[in-house]
Amino acid sequence: MGIRVNPDIYSTILNGLQINTQQQDQALEQIASGQKLNTLSDNPAAVATLVNLRMQSGSNTQYLQNITTLTGSLQVASSALNSVVSSLTTAQTLGIEGATGTINAQNRQAIAQQVQGIQQQILGLANTSYNGQYLFSGTATTTQPYVADPAASSGVTYKGNNNTNSMEISEGQAMPINLPGSQLFSNASTSVFQSLQDLYTALNTNGNISGATTEVQNALNYVSAQQTFYGNSVDRLNNAQTFVTQEQTQLSETESSTLDVDMATAVTNLTQSETTQQALLAAGGKISQSNLFDYLPSS
């Protein structure tokens, strides 16, 4: 039987050494960085997965920032409306007091002054801002929504618009973040500022105080109903925050499993590559000391 001798055994060993060196370098780099992926060539599919994970994580970070900002805005708006409701309740009580038949003109005028003060207080609340933006001016957030206007029957003029802003709070999910003042403080049948103006006038002139007080009561009921938007919105944000936070945790865990190296495995790979390298070098050294007769069987 003939003996087959690989005529290119040196090339085989050199190729083996080259591959082994690459594996050794990769193991060393993984140990030094603590990461399985240090270059695109390490694992192109895993690198693509990692890029997608980080894009999702970046989006979630923005969603969480949106939720934090929006929660603050809604809470400030809700607090302002709570104060409006409280002020209207006080105005209603003053109207009932002013409608008492035993009260004199001087006392009615004093009550009228208190109602006027309430109207001015609510005007300030209707112009509440947060982070430099007005909350009740629709989408015209840099425009003061209400201004005092003696020529208007209600004593004020609305300068905002009737639109609503929205913000994305998770992937594919946006929500309205405000109600315009034109919707919050008035509708076709009632108006906060008009009712207060009518009560002020009735008290000063001893007019239909009871009727004006009923107007204030209707305005109070209306604003109270509008408050539910803000309470429901805050609840929705809390749920969205919980969901996005959980998803962010899952993304972080997946990224870690994709990127972080198993140190024990990396050390084992390095040890194996070093052993392989020594074996290849030893084999090359033996071949350099041999000749063709070393491959022939002894007689």
Side-chain angles (χ1 to χ4, degrees):
M1 178 179 177
I3 297 175
R4 182 176 181 272
V5 179
N6 184 355
D8 200 17
I9 195 168
Y10 282 113
S11 295
T12 300
I13 292 176
L14 288 174
N15 288 336
L17 285 171
Q18 184 178 16
I19 294 172
N20 185 75
T21 299
Q22 292 172 350
Q23 293 173 342
Q24 192 176 62
D25 290 343
Q26 184 181 52
L28 285 168
E29 193 169 14
Q30 288 179 348
I31 292 171
S33 66
Q35 299 178 350
K36 287 185 285 188
L37 306 175
N38 292 289
T39 64
L40 178 61
S41 60
D42 288 341
N43 189 333
V47 171
T49 298
L50 186 62
V51 170
N52 288 330
L53 287 171
R54 288 181 173 175
M55 288 177 62
Q56 287 181 266
S57 180
S59 296
N60 281 350
T61 298
Q62 183 60 57
Y63 295 144
L64 290 172
Q65 290 175 352
N66 290 350
I67 289 171
T68 298
T69 299
L70 184 51
T71 298
S73 173
L74 291 172
Q75 288 174 339
V76 169
S78 180
S79 177
L81 289 181
N82 284 336
S83 296
V84 170
V85 168
S86 177
S87 296
L88 287 172
T89 301
T90 301
Q92 181 191 19
T93 301
L94 290 172
I96 293 172
E97 181 183 349
T100 303
T102 57
I103 198 169
N104 60 37
Q106 183 178 2
N107 288 337
R108 281 197 305 274
Q109 289 178 355
I111 293 173
Q113 292 302 312
Q114 293 182 64
V115 170
Q116 187 177 50
I118 288 174
Q119 187 178 32
Q120 293 172 350
Q121 180 183 12
I122 292 179
L123 175 61
L125 292 168
N127 288 327
T128 298
S129 62
Y130 179 78
N131 282 346
Q133 295 188 325
Y134 290 103
L135 299 180
F136 305 129
S137 58
T139 56
T141 55
T142 59
T143 299
Q144 180 176 312
Y146 285 95
V147 294
D149 184 2
S153 62
S154 64
V156 301
T157 296
Y158 180 64
K159 295 291 187 179
N161 60 39
N162 302 324
N163 303 320
T164 58
N165 291 302
S166 64
M167 184 176 288
E168 194 169 9
I169 57 174
S170 64
E171 187 174 1
Q173 184 181 14
M175 63 175 284
I177 63 175
N178 71 319
L179 293 177
S182 56
Q183 177 179 337
L184 279 172
F185 302 108
S186 63
N187 64 7
S189 60
T190 188
S191 166
V192 169
F193 293 106
Q194 187 66 60
S195 68
L196 291 171
Q197 186 64 32
D198 289 346
L199 180 57
Y200 170 76
T201 300
L203 287 165
N204 269 326
T205 62
N206 196 22
N208 186 4
I209 300 174
S210 294
T213 301
T214 299
E215 286 184 50
V216 173
Q217 175 65 58
N218 292 338
L220 169 60
N221 293 339
Y222 178 74
V223 175
S224 296
Q226 299 305 301
Q227 283 183 288
T228 58
F229 166 83
Y230 290 94
N232 292 339
S233 295
V234 170
D235 289 341
R236 184 178 177 184
L237 285 177
N238 288 336
N239 292 334
Q241 184 177 43
T242 298
F243 171 78
V244 175
T245 299
Q246 290 174 345
E247 185 177 56
Q248 192 76 321
T249 299
Q250 292 172 352
L251 288 172
S252 178
E253 291 174 353
T254 303
E255 178 179 335
S256 179
S257 65
T258 302
L259 181 61
D260 293 348
V261 70
D262 182 334
M263 197 60 69
T265 300
V267 171
T268 298
N269 291 339
L270 177 61
T271 302
Q272 290 176 345
S273 67
E274 290 175 341
T275 301
T276 301
Q277 183 183 50
Q278 292 172 1
L280 289 170
L281 290 173
K286 288 181 179 180
I287 291 172
S288 66
Q289 299 172 5
S290 304
N291 57 48
L292 180 59
F293 294 102
D294 294 323
Y295 294 94
L296 296 178
S298 57
S299 57

